Amino acid sequence: MQASASGLSFEALAIALMTHILDKFIPVGTVFRPETVSELFALRLAQKLGDAPAARHYLALAANYTEAQLLSAYRRTVRAAGNGDRGKRFHVELERIHSNGNHDHCTSLISIRVERRAVAAAIFHGDHLEYTDSRQLSSVQDRAFASAVGFINWMLERFPVESAALEAIPNGHEFQRQILHKAICGALRERMLPIWEVVKGDLLEGYGHPPLKSRKDLREVATAIWPILAGTHAKVFIQDAAILGLHVQTERLFIIN
């Protein structure tokens, strides 16, 4: 069909066609929890396009397009569509892409989970989980601070990274964790590392449709993505660090410069 014959532009025809296809394909209200890195990417793409119920469709797109092509179409969509129907616009932009694009997916990160009596860290290179470790902390405050900061410095000496991530602790909550958190942030800033602070609510929303409800749900996603992290209770904080790190590395992909 030619655009001139119907009076419609290429863009209008493409949107109409994709609407027809998506209306047939997308199971509305489907529960979606990622079990792989690729599934998390597809979910976050769908969420950022305001199309979360269609997450499985975006997973299918990821099998036919490169990540760079999908990200290029996403960026063009955000710039062109504003707060309009991003899902439809995205498919138009995807049809127009012919090259693989260019995207740096290999930024290194240390992701840190701080608890009152433990600290855990995960090292990422891009979306690849490279190393994890944790330390139990003393009940004596000064010893706990020294051990936590020493552990993070040891990790950074062993694995030079470009940025860091910690889960934000609301003001007025868990005084001991707050102090440890600040001490670790100080150690990171001494090394001039930019710090991502992520609230728990963003993790719950980012790892499921509909959003997850609890830390337990997040840990179940972690062990689905990385079965090696399943096991004893001692690994739960490592699971938390890994979930946080992958969230940040995935969010980084969608930054519009």
Side-chain angles (χ1 to χ4, degrees):
M1 181 184 293
Q2 295 181 354
S4 58
S6 62
L8 296 175
S9 67
F10 166 80
E11 181 175 311
L13 286 170
I15 289 176
L17 177 61
M18 288 312 305
T19 300
H20 176 68
I21 293 172
L22 289 174
D23 287 344
K24 287 186 174 183
F25 183 85
I26 298 171
V28 176
T30 301
V31 174
F32 187 92
R33 288 192 184 184
E35 296 185 358
T36 67
V37 172
S38 297
E39 289 180 3
L40 175 63
F41 173 78
L43 173 62
R44 292 304 289 148
L45 177 60
Q47 289 174 328
K48 289 180 180 293
L49 292 170
D51 209 7
R56 296 187 187 281
H57 170 65
Y58 289 90
L59 182 59
L61 289 179
N64 294 298
Y65 293 87
T66 67
E67 186 177 274
Q69 287 175 322
L70 294 170
L71 288 170
S72 178
Y74 167 77
R75 293 188 178 96
R76 293 183 185 186
T77 297
V78 172
R79 294 186 182 109
N83 293 322
D85 192 331
R86 291 185 174 184
K88 293 178 182 178
R89 180 74 190 205
F90 173 79
H91 288 83
V92 173
E93 297 297 343
L94 195 57
E95 288 296 316
R96 292 174 172 172
I97 290 176
H98 301 290
S99 65
N100 287 334
N102 181 24
H103 182 75
D104 179 15
H105 187 50
C106 294
T107 303
S108 57
L109 172 87
I110 183 171
S111 174
I112 303 165
R113 168 69 168 162
V114 179
E115 277 296 325
R116 187 173 59 86
R117 293 291 301 277
V119 60
I123 302 294
F124 280 85
H125 188 68
D127 61 17
H128 173 67
L129 180 60
E130 187 170 329
Y131 183 82
T132 64
D133 204 349
S134 65
R135 288 290 182 275
Q136 294 297 312
L137 303 178
S138 171
S139 59
V140 179
Q141 190 175 84
D142 291 345
R143 292 180 182 176
F145 295 166
S147 180
V149 172
F151 169 65
I152 297 303
N153 282 331
W154 176 82
M155 290 284 289
L156 294 173
E157 290 293 334
R158 189 173 180 184
F159 299 98
V161 298
E162 299 164 78
S163 60
L166 292 97
E167 187 174 323
I169 303 173
N171 289 331
H173 289 68
E174 302 183 75
F175 180 71
Q176 176 76 357
R177 284 185 66 208
Q178 283 275 11
I179 295 176
L180 288 168
H181 181 98
K182 290 179 181 178
I184 289 172
C185 284
L188 296 170
R189 292 190 178 102
E190 285 181 2
R191 293 173 178 265
M192 306 297 290
L193 289 174
I195 301 172
W196 293 61
E197 292 200 63
V198 181
V199 299
K200 180 182 175 182
D202 288 347
L203 296 175
L204 295 172
E205 181 179 353
Y207 274 99
H209 176 75
L212 305 185
K213 295 182 178 180
S214 68
R215 181 83 63 188
K216 179 177 178 289
D217 291 341
L218 286 169
R219 290 168 178 167
E220 288 176 355
V221 172
T223 54
I225 296 175
W226 305 286
I228 196 172
L229 298 185
T232 65
H233 179 72
K235 290 188 175 181
V236 296
F237 300 135
I238 288 177
Q239 295 164 15
D240 296 342
I243 277 289
L244 172 64
L246 182 58
H247 173 82
V248 169
Q249 294 296 75
T250 303
E251 294 302 288
R252 195 192 302 273
L253 300 176
F254 295 100
I255 293 175
I256 305 296
N257 294 324

